[in-house]
Amino acid sequence: MRKALLSAVLLLSPAVLAGEETVYLHYDDQLDGAMDYQHHVRLNVSLSGNTIIGKTETGAVISGQVENKNSYYIGSGEQERFSFEIHNGDTRNWYFGRVAGNYWEGVWYGPDGEKGDFSLHTNVLNDGVPQYQDVLAFYTDEVFERQGSELNHLNPGFLMDLGGLDLHFTNDHVNGFELDLSQGLYARATAQWHQDMPMSIYLDFKQPMRMKTFRLGSANLDNGVQLKAFSFSIWDREAGAWQVVGNFEFPDMPGPAYQRQEFVLPRTVYSDRIRIAAQSSADTGAYGYGQVLMWGLSFQR
């Protein structure tokens, strides 16, 4: 029974990938913080959003969650934490741990006092989620090419988790303004009396990518948040048209500051082309003009 339970553990950690991966879970029977590599189990796992799903080699069902890192909403840090259960008949086994690079390490507990350490090596956290090397092209509507607008070209910072989710105050003379807006996605333009809405940015990928949770930033430079509402769309090749997957409201923020927020699509999508379109801006500006600013796009599991 213990082996089946531990197999489930293995399942969980690999669940971070979009497809399936065969992994080996190493575990021992003594909870002392030292991995003795006494036993190992082979299994396949998959991930749906942040939900770990799968079965062990003996058919036990695995279910659990992996946290996104650097999210102050849940108090997570630089290392992802995970937890999952393995349902083996009428019993359950619990697994807890954190990710360190390509290693998943933690402890497991059985229903009758069993316990021990476990470890597995996998790169599933890096699989499936769009990254810089997956980007084929980045382009925008013509409004972002006007005089006075700002637009970053494709650079290695694209789709990296730059700046976390903290507020970056531009008037912080004590800590300084450390946010480097020259890296990653950055697009700013002025909407003429809001008649230019929607204002869109586009990304083409080399192949269809899995997307569920993403982070996007804007700013309040004392005139209101420069992104009030926006939509996330994917290109439907069969229909030859854009398909809106989700509509979002960007939360208020104090200013003058830049900040990113985390958003979750209502369903996991696969596409090689996406569009993020600003539908409105809370920036009042001068004479009713509205500034639109989007920056720091990155994807989570």
Side-chain angles (χ1 to χ4, degrees):
M1 178 183 73
R2 183 171 303 169
K3 179 176 292 187
L5 300 179
L6 291 168
S7 315
V9 176
L10 194 48
L11 246 178
L12 241 163
S13 30
V16 186
L17 68 153
E20 288 190 350
E21 181 185 49
T22 299
V23 293
Y24 288 87
L25 174 68
H26 302 277
Y27 65 97
D28 60 32
D29 301 323
Q30 184 174 359
L31 182 57
D32 58 5
M35 185 60 236
D36 298 330
Y37 296 93
Q38 296 174 344
H39 317 283
H40 72 270
V41 178
R42 186 180 70 177
L43 50 116
N44 295 321
V45 295
S46 62
L47 187 73
S48 176
N50 281 40
T51 301
I52 299 171
I53 56 177
K55 289 186 177 180
T56 67
E57 58 186 353
T58 59
V61 175
I62 301 170
S63 63
Q65 295 285 329
V66 179
E67 292 181 343
N68 285 332
K69 62 181 180 180
N70 295 325
S71 174
Y72 63 79
Y73 297 108
I74 57 176
S76 63
E78 289 292 334
Q79 292 181 305
E80 296 95 336
R81 295 175 297 193
F82 62 88
S83 64
F84 59 90
E85 298 178 4
I86 300 185
H87 304 256
N88 188 18
D90 295 330
T91 65
R92 293 188 182 185
N93 297 270
W94 296 268
Y95 302 85
F96 308 90
R98 64 179 182 175
V99 180
N102 290 335
Y103 287 91
W104 293 65
E105 301 172 328
V107 299
W108 67 272
Y109 297 92
D112 299 318
E114 307 96 331
K115 57 187 176 181
D117 307 293
F118 73 88
S119 174
L120 62 89
H121 182 273
T122 175
N123 62 359
V124 294
L125 279 175
N126 300 319
D127 292 343
V129 177
Q131 300 176 27
Y132 164 71
Q133 59 268 24
D134 300 309
V135 180
L136 182 64
F138 166 62
Y139 47 101
T140 65
D141 291 338
E142 292 182 0
V143 63
F144 291 102
E145 304 292 343
R146 289 178 182 164
Q147 183 177 1
S149 298
E150 299 177 40
L151 182 66
N152 279 356
H153 296 291
L154 191 62
N155 61 72
F158 264 63
L159 303 189
M160 290 185 63
D161 205 24
L162 301 172
L165 295 174
D166 296 327
L167 273 167
H168 298 271
F169 287 98
T170 62
N171 59 356
D172 187 349
H173 301 296
V174 176
N175 299 313
F177 184 56
E178 301 176 352
L179 185 62
D180 184 1
L181 296 175
S182 68
Q183 295 296 308
L185 184 150
Y186 181 89
R188 184 192 66 82
T190 298
Q192 297 191 7
W193 302 98
H194 295 272
Q195 294 178 359
D196 292 315
M197 302 292 182
M199 295 163 54
S200 305
I201 59 176
Y202 307 82
L203 282 175
D204 286 354
F205 302 122
K206 298 176 182 177
Q207 60 187 14
M209 304 298 298
R210 176 179 60 88
M211 291 162 283
K212 173 67 174 180
T213 303
F214 66 97
R215 293 173 177 179
L216 182 66
S218 191
N220 177 1
L221 302 180
D222 282 341
N223 287 318
V225 179
Q226 296 181 347
L227 182 62
K228 182 178 181 180
F230 67 95
S231 63
F232 187 105
S233 304
I234 61 173
W235 182 252
D236 187 332
R237 292 200 172 275
E238 287 190 14
W242 289 103
Q243 178 187 92
V244 177
V245 181
N247 291 287
F248 303 92
E249 291 281 339
F250 201 95
D252 291 332
M253 72 175 79
Y258 290 79
Q259 187 178 27
R260 296 202 307 153
Q261 297 286 344
E262 188 166 286
F263 304 92
V264 180
L265 297 172
R267 60 185 174 85
T268 300
V269 297
Y270 293 84
S271 181
D272 60 0
R273 177 175 293 176
I274 66 171
R275 177 186 69 187
I276 298 178
Q279 304 292 335
S280 63
S281 171
D283 183 275
T284 55
Y287 309 107
Y289 290 93
Q291 293 281 349
V292 170
L293 187 150
M294 294 181 278
W295 68 279
L297 176 67
S298 64
F299 289 90
Q300 312 296 305
R301 293 178 311 278

